Amino acid sequence: MRTVIVADDITGANVSNSLLAKAGFKVGTLEITSSLEEYKDYDALAISTASRSVSAKEAYASVLKVMGNLIKNKVSLDFYSKRIDSTLRGNLGAEIDAMLEMLPRETLAIVVPAFPTSKKIVIGDYLLVDDIPLEQTDVKNDPTTPVLSSRVTELIAKQSKHPIVHLSLDTVLKGKDAIITRLTEIKQQPAGIVVCDSCTATDLESLSDALIEMKQAFLAVDPGPFTQSLVSTFDKKSKKAGVKDNILMLMGSASPIAIEQLNHLKENLNPYIIRVDVKKICQFSNRLEEMERVVKEAVLHNADSRILVISTMVTLEDKKSLEELAVSLNQTKEQVSSAISSGLAEIGKFLVESKKVDFSAYYTSGGDVTQSFLEALSANGIQIKAEISPLSVYGKMKGGPLAGKALITKGGLVGDKTTITECINYALERLAKEGVR
């Protein structure tokens, strides 16, 4: 098992588990910790102490009891996680202290309150919600646990007996090595809690990489995303990642919204992206060579991320109108469009036939790409299972070598910047529940 998450309410427990489930991990939420034997094959378990609105003393006792039961059960874990509210309500310091009390003395509590997909980031020790300081949001009016400060260290210090150190965004942005250097310095100080700035999924990954590489005993304290990053990093480093659900995305949309959607995906799910040279794919003399190049790179880097994107556009600089391409290639717009769609489809077909990669699901953007992909793989249709959002669906392919495999399709110009990320998250969560690759 990777981790046990101790949350102060059932909703929080489920939020953390949902993030892990979307990433393809097997998770469960428990009310008691008396017997964990039947859950030994799970990646993570979350347990609620229902202690957010009680006194600090009661919260401390509740968490201490849960930790005592877990240790008594001799649960083997990579790390423990203390789930905190994303708006820092509740008994933060008391519950962190209770968990540290039961863990080895050298354990550092690494507090990472950022929740990038919910527009919650930490800069200079201040939690900002959609660019607004936390204390200026509605959480200040919470009837049971109002929050009147935006400073993370201040809120924790109200109840904790441990020294608290702040890890700046400047250090985090410099990456893993800089974080390791700073944490090594902190270990020499009388510090038990480290509050970390972070703004993006990349920041969380840098923190995760640093902690795991330096083999520091730690307690993760966060609202869910940092724990998910840690579990994914441990999983990858132990060579288990190859059995997790993965998705091949074929994108041929030439629109600014497609670039926004791809950028949002990059910020939140860290895909490996390969850009297809549109001009070469449309030229008979260069077409096969370009497809072979893309396939070779895809096979080489397939294990780098659970999401592999093959796209004709990665930045706005890649955008070329069909008219411009048609003129430069002495072709019609229809010929160029067809060459792009069929080229992406054939790349997908080559990857399937290579048998060097095995994807759990496939994503196609735009009707032409979807149709070309189905034809290339001799599929005779899609069994629609669910609508993810307007004009975005999840289904299973019928016929051909990919019969029964999941397919997510979306109109090329459909949705806002979050739509592709929402589609992929939905697919990962559904695949995890279906338990098939």
Side-chain angles (χ1 to χ4, degrees):
M1 190 180 297
R2 296 294 176 199
T3 189
V4 168
I5 303 160
V6 180
D8 63 0
D9 77 344
I10 192 70
T11 300
N14 289 334
V15 167
S16 290
N17 267 345
S18 176
L19 293 174
L20 289 166
K22 286 177 180 177
F25 295 101
K26 188 175 183 179
V27 299
T29 301
L30 305 182
E31 293 184 356
I32 58 174
T33 56
S34 57
S35 177
L36 301 176
E37 181 65 24
E38 61 186 293
Y39 300 100
K40 62 184 179 181
D41 64 331
Y42 279 56
D43 294 300
L45 292 176
I47 299 163
S48 170
T49 55
S51 54
R52 179 174 298 176
S53 301
V54 304
S55 69
K57 184 177 180 180
E58 290 174 296
Y60 183 91
S62 294
V63 173
L64 206 65
K65 180 180 179 181
V66 166
M67 286 296 291
N69 286 336
L70 290 169
I71 291 170
K72 183 180 178 181
N73 273 273
K74 298 180 180 179
V75 182
S76 178
L77 303 172
D78 289 319
F79 67 101
Y80 279 96
S81 172
K82 175 71 199 78
R83 200 277 174 182
I84 58 173
D85 177 54
S86 65
T87 55
L88 304 182
R89 294 173 296 169
N91 295 290
L92 307 180
E95 297 194 4
I96 293 170
D97 281 10
M99 293 191 74
L100 287 176
E101 179 73 21
M102 302 298 290
L103 296 173
R105 190 168 184 172
E106 68 273 15
T107 303
L108 286 177
I110 307 297
V111 184
V112 185
F115 204 135
T117 57
S118 294
K119 298 183 178 180
K120 296 181 176 77
I121 62 175
V122 180
I123 301 177
D125 189 31
Y126 285 82
L127 177 59
L128 306 179
V129 181
D130 204 4
D131 298 329
I132 299 172
L134 178 65
E135 65 199 270
Q136 295 179 6
T137 68
D138 286 343
V139 73
K140 67 182 178 182
N141 300 316
D142 189 274
T144 55
T145 54
V147 180
L148 305 178
S149 174
S150 304
R151 290 193 62 200
V152 183
T153 55
E154 179 183 325
L155 292 169
I156 295 173
K158 287 181 179 179
Q159 294 180 343
S160 178
K161 67 181 181 182
H162 292 281
I164 305 173
V165 176
H166 172 240
L167 184 69
S168 71
L169 185 62
D170 178 60
T171 299
V172 174
L173 291 177
K174 289 176 182 176
K176 178 189 67 177
D177 292 341
I179 295 169
I180 290 175
T181 298
R182 180 62 183 130
L183 286 177
T184 301
E185 295 171 352
I186 290 171
K187 285 171 61 179
Q188 311 308 315
Q189 306 172 20
I193 300 174
V194 182
V195 172
C196 305
D197 286 355
S198 52
C199 298
T200 67
T202 300
D203 296 340
L204 303 186
E205 289 164 12
S206 295
L207 288 164
S208 299
D209 287 339
L211 282 169
I212 294 170
E213 182 168 316
M214 68 187 295
K215 295 180 171 58
Q216 167 64 42
F218 67 90
L219 164 67
V221 182
D222 73 299
F226 180 51
T227 291
Q228 189 266 313
S229 176
L230 283 164
V231 171
S232 295
T233 304
F234 269 115
D235 200 64
K236 184 176 180 180
K237 289 184 181 297
S238 67
K239 309 301 182 184
K240 274 185 62 181
V243 303
K244 298 299 177 184
D245 295 309
N246 56 348
I247 298 176
L248 172 65
M249 302 179 64
L250 301 173
M251 299 178 59
S253 301
S255 66
I257 186 60
I259 295 299
E260 287 186 38
Q261 292 172 342
L262 186 56
N263 284 336
H264 190 270
L265 186 75
K266 287 163 61 177
E267 291 171 3
N268 291 280
L269 294 178
N270 194 32
Y272 186 87
I273 301 174
I274 302 172
R275 186 182 71 83
V276 177
D277 188 313
V278 178
K279 196 164 188 177
K280 288 183 178 179
I281 210 77
C282 293
Q283 294 174 312
F284 180 79
S285 58
N286 295 315
R287 182 178 174 88
L288 183 58
E289 180 183 352
E290 175 63 5
M291 289 193 292
E292 289 176 343
R293 178 194 69 80
V294 173
V295 169
K296 183 178 180 179
E297 184 176 351
V299 170
L300 182 63
H301 294 281
N302 175 54
D304 290 2
S305 175
R306 298 176 60 225
I307 302 166
L308 178 65
V309 179
I310 297 175
S311 177
T312 54
M313 284 180 59
V314 176
T315 67
L316 283 174
E317 287 69 32
D318 298 328
K319 187 180 186 306
K320 296 180 176 66
S321 71
L322 290 181
E323 289 85 353
E324 292 173 347
L325 274 173
V327 170
S328 67
L329 296 169
N330 195 28
Q331 298 178 13
T332 66
K333 287 193 300 181
E334 291 73 20
Q335 287 174 319
V336 169
S337 178
S338 176
I340 292 172
S341 298
S342 62
L344 287 170
E346 287 177 46
I347 289 169
K349 180 184 179 183
F350 288 165
L351 281 170
V352 172
E353 292 179 341
S354 75
K355 300 189 183 301
K356 294 179 180 179
V357 292
D358 181 25
F359 297 99
S360 309
Y362 297 81
Y363 169 96
T364 54
S365 178
D368 291 342
V369 174
T370 301
Q371 183 65 37
S372 295
F373 183 65
L374 292 173
E375 290 176 355
L377 273 299
S378 302
N380 53 37
I382 310 169
Q383 181 184 8
I384 303 300
K385 295 289 188 177
E387 181 184 59
I388 304 171
S389 60
L391 299 181
S392 302
V393 300
Y394 176 94
K396 296 296 178 75
M397 284 182 271
K398 306 284 287 183
L402 296 182
K405 286 283 190 178
L407 178 67
I408 307 97
T409 69
K410 184 189 78 66
L413 300 175
V414 170
D416 59 21
K417 70 177 184 179
T418 68
T419 302
I420 287 180
T421 304
E422 290 169 358
C423 287
I424 299 305
N425 274 332
Y426 176 91
L428 289 171
E429 187 168 8
R430 179 135 184 176
L431 288 166
K433 290 177 180 177
E434 292 173 352
V436 295
R437 294 196 75 252

